[in-house]
Amino acid sequence: MNLDTTREIDNSLSTTLQQRRQKLAELVDTPVILWSGESIGRNFPANRFPFRASSHFLYFAGLPLEKAAIRLEQGKLNLYLDDAPPEATLWHGKTPTREEIAAMIGADRAYPLVELVNHTANAATIAVQNYHTYQQQCQLLNRTLTPANAPTGIDLDLTKAIITLRLSHDRFALTELTKAAQVSIKAHQSGMKGTSQATTEAEVRGAMEGVIIAHNMSCAYGSIVTVHGEVLHNEQYLHSLQTGDLLLADVGAETPLGWAADITRTWAVSGKFSETQRDLYQVVLAAHDACIEKIRPGVEYRDIHLLAAQIIAEGLVNLGILKGNPDDLVAMDAHALFFPHGIGHLLGLDVHDMEDLGDLAGYDTERVRSDRFGLGYLRLDRPLRPGMLVTIEPGFYQVPAILNHPDFRHKYQKVVNWKRLEQFADVRGIRIEDDVLVTESGSEVLTAALPTKVEEIEALTS
Amino acid sequence: MNLDTTREIDNSLSTTLQQRRQKLAELVDTPVILWSGESIGRNFPANRFPFRASSHFLYFAGLPLEKAAIRLEQGKLNLYLDDAPPEATLWHGKTPTREEIAAMIGADRAYPLVELVNHTANAATIAVQNYHTYQQQCQLLNRTLTPANAPTGIDLDLTKAIITLRLSHDRFALTELTKAAQVSIKAHQSGMKGTSQATTEAEVRGAMEGVIIAHNMSCAYGSIVTVHGEVLHNEQYLHSLQTGDLLLADVGAETPLGWAADITRTWAVSGKFSETQRDLYQVVLAAHDACIEKIRPGVEYRDIHLLAAQIIAEGLVNLGILKGNPDDLVAMDAHALFFPHGIGHLLGLDVHDMEDLGDLAGYDTERVRSDRFGLGYLRLDRPLRPGMLVTIEPGFYQVPAILNHPDFRHKYQKVVNWKRLEQFADVRGIRIEDDVLVTESGSEVLTAALPTKVEEIEALTS
């Protein structure tokens, strides 16, 4: 980390961190040690992937400090971090000292990393992704850690406490999340504007990610920029753009302190939706708008998902693609033929926030994933509460692996008008995704400045 | 890997791979197994860094196949790779089958990965970067592998053989390396053109990396785009651009098949070099041009480095910054006060090609790194031979950690005109780097289309 990273960070960081660890102290009695991890060699040791600190560490330490650990106990913060060796200045410039960093984050004490071994007794932790650091965790705590998605004992208690805190974002976090949203909006605008000159998916991706990089942010996840939106996690960018194609772009920025945005828009390569594309887009948009409208504290996120399913089923009935009563269609998961994923997920330091913890964060106590085709992919099943940030991302896809699957063909033979569906062949994938904050009184869409209406999107793309 | 990745790959790949393994068979008697590695989770398991296959695997398997292994013996190629599970189609689309991939790369046999355990007897290998795969290597070969930079026994024999092959690029490799160079040139042109509108380093970086992404390539290494070029591996992009600054950009693309480019240019933020900036730039450019001029088979790369040192020393004497005889100044490493790194390195599948092997590739048999201040950072010390691709990257830097170091101040007190040096305060870092292929008769600069002359660079930036 260079001193410059922290130039803009004012006292609000150390104040925020103090509040977070005070809250943690109210929930956890044991000492807590969190490790940041380290960067990983790509093709040779000196050519490394950009360092990404563990999100749990980032939440309490604030800064992306490599090879660092923090110890939290009763609201006190100890930092364990080695100063860079003097010769590192030649290659990496002047970096802040341990004491300078300790001051920035409001640490009570700061030690070289070697001291950590003397302060590990009875400490709880969460296993990090980085394998080398994970080995250090086990060695220093003198016990084998279970993976982050299956913690036990004091680590489980800690995990639950951290989930409680991280589920609701504080003001500092919301400032960061808003910055990520704003840059992501600019990236999407750049992609929309650049499409008319682009000939491949990669060119649109370049126009979008270039904006994120220009704002000194990184991509929070592997971008999806594709005319084959029906491939849900398509991370190839080689298709050429054809006049009649829809382009689906799921691209989000992450701030230097680790906070993410997650936005999807779908637009016409030509700048103009066809009638069939517009019809299906309106169905997805209706679901999107209704779901956001419904968000407020106390509402079950699962019900938001089911609302989307209902509206999509209704819309498809109206277009003659599905046949029957929408309630019955949702009950038999017919909507999931075309909307086979969940309505969204938590968003925060991770784009799927706290997904390293498996479903411990996404699913409320005692709840488990459904085995229903139309519910199994739901990543979040909790009552909403103020400060939660969730995505709302309904979609419509024609996935060959689903629509041509003999079991589905058989089960849904009578409720799908397959002949009618063929008329919508120019729609392979549509998704509209926004980042929605649950407020005391309802909701606030952090990504609202990016249009969703067909006419506005057409205006931006042509 | 999506089928599209390979759409443009014609028979030349399988022919090339066959030639490479035939050559390997002439050098190595034992069977050889090479692993590709796997992608690594960033902040949670499903959010992964882009997969980068091991370069040794890529050299003989051609394609970036994740979780794959190949076995080479007497010119025969076995591929070990699992087909994607059927449910993966929903998320990742249709991927080529093992048999389709085997056909693309001209494999003689193809097996599921589980079969590999039956074909490991007496096999040599090279330890990969990825730790999980490294563990598999040890387990399947039933022995503890030393790191790639310290191989022993049959692994050392294999390493030496692979170095022999990879030191000289074949036509397929040169086609890829040329593509990487061409896109990197476009990236630099975009950065130069974009500088007048940019206010931060990050914005110039976005303009450059956006081009690389738009061409469906990735960055071969962490870009350096900075007004503080004296920080040699500066990977922060937060400085604002000031009118009098020089901007140093070291940015290179990597093709989807893994072949790299590595280009540095230095230009004036204002579009116009100051007189002092121009004077020092001309010194670096003279070294750059003379080194390239000297490249031909049989020449010692170390002598190219020393030529650069000589020309820089001469130039600094002419400018009144150094005092004395240039030969003497180089002999006492006075040039290294301002040019503290090597003249360049091998370039190929890795930006520092085969640096995972330590100095085994860079240094000829029996040669070791010098402990001289002016030679210790030299990454390559071999006689040049046809097909080698090297960078030529002389520079001039005012590194406070060097120039203010009491030892250096003392040693070089009398040969530096410190007063005169102060007049060049607006030059913190200049580097000019091109990628130069050793040909049968001399050399060819793959990156020659990007100007180096002050006037041409000024024309591109203003």
Side-chain angles (χ1 to χ4, degrees):
Chain A
M1 199 189 61
N2 193 295
L3 266 170
D4 298 313
T5 307
T6 54
R7 198 171 277 171
E8 292 174 45
I9 296 171
D10 56 21
N11 289 335
S12 67
L13 176 64
S14 60
T15 309
T16 297
L17 296 178
Q18 186 162 34
Q19 288 163 352
R20 288 178 187 168
R21 59 183 186 265
Q22 285 293 356
K23 284 189 189 165
L24 184 70
E26 291 164 19
L27 298 171
V28 174
D29 288 329
T30 53
V32 171
I33 301 177
L34 296 170
W35 277 261
S36 68
E38 61 183 54
S39 61
I40 302 157
R42 188 174 171 263
N43 42 344
F44 56 93
N47 200 26
R48 305 180 85 73
F49 288 111
F51 173 62
R52 176 50 156 80
S54 150
S55 294
H56 304 297
F57 174 91
L58 273 178
Y59 188 76
F60 292 101
L63 302 179
L65 309 168
E66 192 167 347
K67 294 184 187 173
I70 52 172
R71 184 178 189 279
L72 307 168
E73 187 174 21
Q74 298 306 322
K76 299 284 184 197
L77 167 61
N78 288 357
L79 170 67
Y80 301 85
L81 175 70
D82 289 337
D83 279 324
E87 64 272 21
T89 312
L90 171 62
W91 299 95
H92 303 287
K94 185 160 162 37
T95 48
T97 63
R98 174 172 54 244
E99 291 303 330
E100 287 168 332
I101 290 170
M104 288 179 213
I105 67 175
D108 297 280
R109 302 287 299 272
Y111 302 92
L113 203 48
V114 71
E115 289 290 325
L116 180 56
V117 69
N118 301 318
H119 304 145
T120 56
N122 307 315
T125 195
I126 297 180
V128 297
Q129 300 298 302
N130 179 268
Y131 188 76
H132 186 232
T133 308
Y134 168 77
Q135 287 179 309
Q136 291 176 342
Q137 290 184 290
C138 297
Q139 193 199 329
L140 285 167
L141 296 176
N142 200 22
R143 57 192 173 90
T144 302
L145 294 178
T146 52
N149 65 357
T152 58
I154 55 173
D155 298 339
L156 177 58
D157 297 339
L158 169 63
T159 299
K160 287 178 176 170
I162 288 182
I163 290 169
T164 301
L165 266 67
R166 287 184 57 189
L167 275 177
S168 292
H169 296 299
D170 54 33
R171 214 181 61 175
F172 186 93
L174 288 173
T175 304
E176 287 285 312
L177 290 161
T178 301
K179 283 184 205 168
Q182 285 167 342
V183 168
S184 305
I185 288 169
K186 287 181 187 169
H188 278 261
Q189 289 166 334
S190 172
M192 290 178 188
K193 280 178 199 146
T195 299
S196 63
Q197 282 89 51
T199 59
T200 63
E201 296 165 345
E203 289 170 44
V204 179
R205 180 186 175 217
M208 299 181 78
E209 294 193 6
V211 170
I212 292 172
I213 296 164
H215 285 82
N216 207 42
M217 294 196 183
S218 52
C219 291
Y221 52 94
S223 300
I224 300 168
V225 182
T226 183
V227 293
H228 282 279
E230 81 279 11
V231 181
L232 296 181
H233 282 179
N234 196 348
E235 292 186 20
Q236 297 285 326
Y237 315 97
L238 271 167
H239 297 113
S240 64
L241 308 182
Q242 307 296 332
T243 306
D245 286 339
L246 288 178
L247 182 76
L248 184 155
D250 187 344
V251 177
E254 180 177 298
T255 71
L257 300 186
W259 299 86
D262 186 359
I263 302 182
T264 309
R265 289 294 184 271
T266 307
W267 59 86
V269 166
S270 68
K272 191 88 188 150
F273 285 68
S274 75
E275 207 173 310
T276 41
Q277 289 167 345
R278 177 186 287 254
D279 284 346
L280 281 168
Y281 187 93
Q282 300 291 15
V283 171
V284 177
L285 184 59
H288 166 273
D289 291 352
C291 287
I292 291 176
E293 184 66 31
K294 194 180 163 85
I295 287 184
R296 68 178 60 83
V299 171
E300 288 286 346
Y301 191 75
R302 169 199 280 255
D303 290 339
I304 306 275
H305 175 76
L306 290 169
L307 175 63
Q310 180 79 18
I311 291 174
I312 288 168
E314 284 170 9
L316 297 183
V317 168
N318 290 340
L319 291 176
I321 293 172
L322 286 179
K323 297 180 286 189
N325 176 299
D327 290 343
D328 299 340
L329 290 167
V330 170
M332 71 187 293
D333 292 326
H335 65 281
L337 286 171
F338 304 102
F339 172 43
H341 61 70
I343 188 64
H345 49 79
L346 294 166
L347 180 62
L349 280 165
D350 308 304
V351 62
H352 296 164
D353 208 28
M354 299 180 272
E355 196 178 279
D356 62 318
L357 309 176
D359 280 340
L360 285 169
Y363 274 60
D364 209 354
T365 318
E366 309 287 310
R367 298 187 188 180
V368 292
R369 293 240 183 178
S370 166
D371 56 6
R372 265 180 65 182
F373 172 44
L375 272 174
Y377 284 114
L378 190 59
R379 296 180 192 271
L380 176 59
D381 186 2
R382 284 183 173 273
L384 297 174
R385 63 189 211 200
M388 272 188 185
L389 182 63
V390 298
T391 66
I392 292 296
E393 48 179 310
F396 172 94
Y397 316 89
Q398 295 204 48
V399 184
I402 294 175
L403 297 179
N404 298 332
H405 195 290
D407 294 354
F408 291 130
R409 276 315 261 225
H410 178 77
K411 180 172 178 189
Y412 298 111
Q413 188 55 43
K414 292 187 177 154
V415 299
V416 176
N417 184 336
W418 300 97
K419 209 74 194 151
R420 175 68 178 147
L421 182 61
E422 283 172 18
Q423 295 171 357
F424 293 87
D426 68 346
V427 181
R428 290 188 291 263
I430 292 171
R431 181 163 65 251
I432 310 171
E433 177 181 26
D434 276 308
D435 303 344
V436 187
L437 177 69
V438 185
T439 62
E440 294 290 341
S441 58
S443 73
E444 180 194 342
V445 182
L446 298 191
T447 48
L450 188 67
T452 54
K453 290 196 172 62
V454 166
E455 298 71 27
E456 291 173 286
I457 286 184
E458 286 184 343
L460 276 171
T461 46
S462 47
Chain B
M1 199 190 61
N2 193 294
L3 266 171
D4 299 314
T5 307
T6 55
R7 197 170 278 172
E8 291 174 47
I9 296 171
D10 56 21
N11 289 335
S12 67
L13 177 62
S14 60
T15 308
T16 297
L17 298 177
Q18 186 162 34
Q19 288 163 351
R20 289 178 186 167
R21 59 184 185 266
Q22 285 292 356
K23 284 190 189 164
L24 185 69
E26 290 163 20
L27 298 172
V28 174
D29 287 328
T30 52
V32 171
I33 301 177
L34 296 169
W35 277 261
S36 69
E38 61 183 54
S39 61
I40 303 156
R42 189 175 171 263
N43 42 344
F44 56 92
N47 200 26
R48 305 180 87 71
F49 287 111
F51 173 62
R52 176 50 155 79
S54 151
S55 294
H56 304 297
F57 174 91
L58 273 178
Y59 188 75
F60 291 102
L63 302 179
L65 309 168
E66 193 168 347
K67 294 184 188 174
I70 52 172
R71 184 179 190 278
L72 307 167
E73 188 175 21
Q74 297 306 322
K76 299 285 184 196
L77 167 60
N78 288 356
L79 171 68
Y80 301 85
L81 175 70
D82 289 337
D83 280 325
E87 65 272 20
T89 312
L90 171 62
W91 299 95
H92 303 287
K94 184 159 163 35
T95 48
T97 63
R98 175 173 53 245
E99 291 302 330
E100 287 167 332
I101 290 169
M104 286 179 214
I105 67 175
D108 296 280
R109 303 286 299 271
Y111 302 91
L113 204 48
V114 71
E115 289 290 327
L116 179 56
V117 69
N118 301 319
H119 304 145
T120 56
N122 308 315
T125 193
I126 297 180
V128 297
Q129 299 299 302
N130 179 270
Y131 188 75
H132 186 232
T133 308
Y134 168 77
Q135 288 178 308
Q136 291 176 342
Q137 290 185 290
C138 296
Q139 194 199 330
L140 285 167
L141 296 176
N142 200 24
R143 57 193 174 89
T144 301
L145 294 177
T146 52
N149 65 358
T152 57
I154 55 173
D155 298 339
L156 178 58
D157 297 338
L158 169 63
T159 299
K160 287 177 176 171
I162 288 181
I163 289 169
T164 302
L165 266 67
R166 287 183 57 188
L167 275 178
S168 292
H169 296 299
D170 54 33
R171 215 180 61 176
F172 186 93
L174 288 173
T175 304
E176 287 286 310
L177 290 162
T178 302
K179 284 184 204 168
Q182 286 167 343
V183 168
S184 305
I185 288 169
K186 287 182 185 168
H188 278 261
Q189 289 167 333
S190 172
M192 290 179 189
K193 281 180 199 143
T195 298
S196 63
Q197 282 90 51
T199 59
T200 64
E201 297 165 344
E203 288 170 46
V204 179
R205 180 186 174 216
M208 299 182 77
E209 294 193 4
V211 170
I212 291 173
I213 297 165
H215 285 82
N216 207 43
M217 294 195 184
S218 52
C219 291
Y221 52 94
S223 299
I224 300 168
V225 182
T226 183
V227 293
H228 282 279
E230 81 280 13
V231 181
L232 296 181
H233 282 179
N234 196 347
E235 292 186 20
Q236 299 284 328
Y237 316 96
L238 272 166
H239 297 113
S240 64
L241 307 183
Q242 307 296 332
T243 305
D245 286 338
L246 287 178
L247 182 75
L248 184 156
D250 186 344
V251 176
E254 179 178 298
T255 71
L257 301 186
W259 298 86
D262 187 359
I263 302 181
T264 308
R265 288 294 184 272
T266 307
W267 59 86
V269 165
S270 67
K272 190 87 187 147
F273 285 67
S274 74
E275 207 174 311
T276 42
Q277 289 168 345
R278 177 186 287 254
D279 284 346
L280 281 168
Y281 187 92
Q282 301 291 15
V283 171
V284 177
L285 183 59
H288 167 274
D289 291 351
C291 287
I292 291 176
E293 183 66 30
K294 195 181 162 86
I295 288 186
R296 68 178 61 85
V299 170
E300 287 286 346
Y301 191 76
R302 170 200 280 252
D303 289 340
I304 307 274
H305 175 77
L306 289 170
L307 175 63
Q310 180 78 17
I311 292 175
I312 288 169
E314 284 171 8
L316 297 182
V317 168
N318 290 340
L319 290 176
I321 293 171
L322 286 181
K323 298 180 285 188
N325 175 299
D327 290 344
D328 300 340
L329 290 167
V330 171
M332 71 186 293
D333 293 325
H335 65 280
L337 285 171
F338 304 102
F339 172 44
H341 61 70
I343 188 63
H345 49 80
L346 293 167
L347 180 62
L349 280 164
D350 309 305
V351 62
H352 296 164
D353 208 26
M354 299 181 271
E355 194 176 284
D356 63 320
L357 308 178
D359 280 340
L360 286 169
Y363 274 59
D364 208 354
T365 319
E366 308 288 309
R367 298 189 188 179
V368 293
R369 295 239 183 180
S370 165
D371 55 6
R372 267 182 61 182
F373 172 42
L375 272 174
Y377 285 115
L378 189 60
R379 296 180 193 272
L380 176 59
D381 186 1
R382 284 184 174 273
L384 297 174
R385 62 189 212 201
M388 272 189 184
L389 182 63
V390 298
T391 66
I392 292 296
E393 47 179 311
F396 172 93
Y397 316 89
Q398 295 204 49
V399 184
I402 293 175
L403 297 179
N404 297 334
H405 195 291
D407 295 353
F408 291 130
R409 276 316 259 226
H410 179 75
K411 180 172 178 188
Y412 300 110
Q413 188 55 43
K414 291 185 178 157
V415 299
V416 176
N417 184 338
W418 301 96
K419 210 72 195 157
R420 174 69 178 147
L421 182 61
E422 283 173 18
Q423 295 171 358
F424 293 87
D426 68 347
V427 180
R428 291 188 290 263
I430 292 171
R431 182 163 62 253
I432 310 171
E433 177 181 27
D434 277 306
D435 303 343
V436 187
L437 176 68
V438 184
T439 62
E440 294 291 341
S441 57
S443 73
E444 180 193 341
V445 183
L446 299 190
T447 48
L450 189 67
T452 54
K453 290 196 173 61
V454 166
E455 299 71 27
E456 292 173 285
I457 286 186
E458 286 185 344
L460 276 171
T461 47
S462 47

